[in-house]
Amino acid sequence: MMNPENYLILSALLFAIGAVGVLVRRNALVAFMCVELMLNACNLAFVAGSHITGVLDGQVVAFFVMVVAAAEVVVGLAIIVSIYKTRRSTSVDDANLLKL
Amino acid sequence: MNTALLPLVTGSEVTFWIVAPLAVLGALGLVLSRRAVYAALSMAVSMIALAVLYASLGAPFLAMTQIIVYTGAVMMMFLFVLMMVGIDTPDSAVETLKAQRPLAVLMGVGLAALLFFGIGGAVHYAPATVIEANAEFGGNVEGLANLMFGRYVFVFELAAALLIVAAVGAMLLSHHQRVTPKLGQREQAVERMKAYADAGEHPGTLPNSGVYATTNAIGAPALLPDGSIAEKSVSRTLVLRGAAVDPLPLTRLTSQTFAAIEAVTEDEADE
């Protein structure tokens, strides 16, 4: 049987890549997709945890994370669209009206 | 056959070593590709790879949900919004914060290292696997349903409330109020006739795009009888994007052919 740690390490790797993407990319949509990647990485860790411990609770939590992610995408995309309507740009650098 | 000589490789191990690189490649494509659509597609690759991993970890329900919810709904929504806001806006390479990119990559490596050291050696026993838990109620879906409508029923209700709030919130955010009344068919017709009366603009339909021997793309403008370009035959958006085609090279082939035909008939007339 393969060491279940491999799943956790893959999940950590995906999480780190997603975090770098959020910091590096300027397009709000791509940054948002990187957040989704981080959530997915967490889901993988939850499912792997369920596999390691042998109870299904981890899978239930992963399911709820998916629900929250779906709700978050809906609201986040609506915000991006409404910012685009007023500023004609999806770059996170352009939305700086709150800056001092 | 002596099975002891074969390495102990299970199906899930093979799956992992095929799918994990794909997931990482998809994630890297998401971060590195300059065009947002390519980023979205790499993201979809990564998500499908994760769905396969879920299936190999004894979570078939989550694997299906992953494909339906993430690659089906979420990524499609991302693509819709990408199409709405214009896919041609490339990511600017200008750094607003000095040395942000190298620092971000350094932070990513640090985070990965931290997580690796945290995880490394944390699991030193064989996994319990969910085979028994799945079999307890006759299947993975039944087992999850037992938990979801049993121990986690309150969380389930909260999730329902969250989805309702998110849907209403998104409608509220993307709703916009009209500042001018909507133009109906009658108003548009009146406006068109007024433009005809005032400026002599043609009130009928706009001319088609040009049809040439080699192309009839919508970017190719039509020619007026005197050979000049009909400006209105090409959409303004295409002109602004630079997608309009110059018709002169297109007409050359036709005029050459016509010239050749004329030459032949003249030859025949001579004979």
Side-chain angles (χ1 to χ4, degrees):
Chain A
M1 192 47 105
M2 185 177 61
N3 191 345
E5 244 176 57
N6 289 346
Y7 292 104
L8 297 179
I9 285 175
L10 173 65
S11 133
L13 195 61
L14 291 180
F15 190 88
I17 292 174
V20 171
V22 172
L23 291 176
V24 166
R25 296 305 298 263
R26 300 265 64 87
N27 187 337
L29 276 164
V30 179
F32 200 26
M33 278 192 261
C34 291
V35 174
E36 291 302 310
L37 183 69
M38 290 164 81
L39 283 169
N40 265 290
C42 295
N43 270 352
L44 180 62
F46 276 126
V47 177
S50 172
H51 173 71
I52 292 166
T53 54
V55 287
L56 287 176
D57 294 56
Q59 295 188 13
V60 176
V61 174
F63 178 74
F64 284 128
V65 171
M66 276 184 196
V67 173
V68 173
E72 175 225 330
V73 163
V74 169
V75 176
L77 285 180
I79 291 174
I80 288 176
V81 167
S82 60
I83 287 179
Y84 179 77
K85 268 184 191 161
T86 51
R87 315 290 305 255
R88 288 282 138 196
S89 162
T90 55
S91 172
V92 285
D93 285 339
D94 289 347
N96 53 6
L97 276 180
L98 284 177
K99 206 161 82 174
L100 280 173
Chain B
M1 198 169 92
N2 190 354
T3 49
L5 288 177
L6 288 170
L8 279 168
V9 179
T10 56
S12 63
E13 196 167 347
V14 175
T15 316
F16 180 84
W17 289 115
I18 291 172
V19 167
L22 278 178
V24 174
L25 275 182
L28 286 177
L30 167 64
V31 176
L32 296 178
S33 61
R34 296 208 69 65
R35 281 173 175 272
V37 176
Y38 295 162
L41 291 179
S42 330
M43 179 78 191
V45 168
S46 196
M47 283 168 170
I48 292 175
L50 285 183
V52 174
L53 282 183
Y54 293 167
S56 80
L57 280 172
F61 176 71
L62 276 185
M64 288 303 121
T65 318
Q66 170 87 2
I67 287 178
I68 293 168
V69 172
Y70 268 113
T71 49
V74 170
M75 292 319 294
M76 282 312 110
M77 211 140 66
F78 268 112
L79 284 178
F80 270 141
V81 174
L82 271 179
M83 298 300 152
M84 265 174 76
V85 302
I87 49 177
D88 283 337
T89 45
D91 221 354
S92 73
V94 186
E95 287 191 346
T96 37
L97 299 172
K98 215 173 152 195
Q100 188 207 2
R101 256 158 238 237
L103 280 178
V105 172
L106 195 70
M107 190 232 76
V109 172
L111 179 64
L114 188 72
L115 289 170
F116 288 171
F117 284 122
I119 294 162
V123 188
H124 45 76
Y125 44 86
T129 75
V130 287
I131 296 168
E132 274 176 38
N134 276 346
E136 193 184 347
F137 291 95
N140 178 249
V141 181
E142 286 86 347
L144 283 180
N146 175 54
L147 278 177
M148 220 177 280
F149 299 109
R151 190 187 300 164
Y152 295 106
V153 69
F154 191 62
V155 186
F156 187 79
E157 298 289 337
L158 280 180
L162 177 76
L163 283 175
I164 290 281
V165 170
V168 174
M171 277 165 64
L172 203 72
L173 275 170
S174 54
H175 176 79
H176 74 121
Q177 216 150 16
R178 277 201 168 275
V179 277
T180 51
K182 193 178 179 200
L183 287 184
Q185 209 168 12
R186 169 176 285 274
E187 287 81 11
Q188 281 182 356
V190 166
E191 208 159 84
R192 220 173 278 149
M193 291 317 287
K194 195 165 178 297
Y196 175 59
D198 293 346
E201 268 184 54
H202 178 56
T205 50
L206 294 174
N208 262 346
S209 60
V211 178
Y212 298 93
T214 50
T215 182
N216 60 353
I218 53 165
L223 296 181
L224 293 173
D226 60 346
S228 60
I229 296 169
E231 300 285 350
K232 288 198 170 168
S233 62
V234 178
S235 160
R236 251 180 69 78
T237 321
L238 290 177
V239 176
L240 287 178
R241 277 198 201 163
V245 186
D246 182 21
L248 289 179
L250 294 174
T251 54
R252 199 168 296 139
L253 183 66
T254 316
S255 51
Q256 274 171 3
T257 317
F258 269 116
I261 293 170
E262 299 261 327
V264 168
T265 43
E266 271 164 26
D267 288 350
E268 282 170 354
D270 289 346
E271 282 166 10

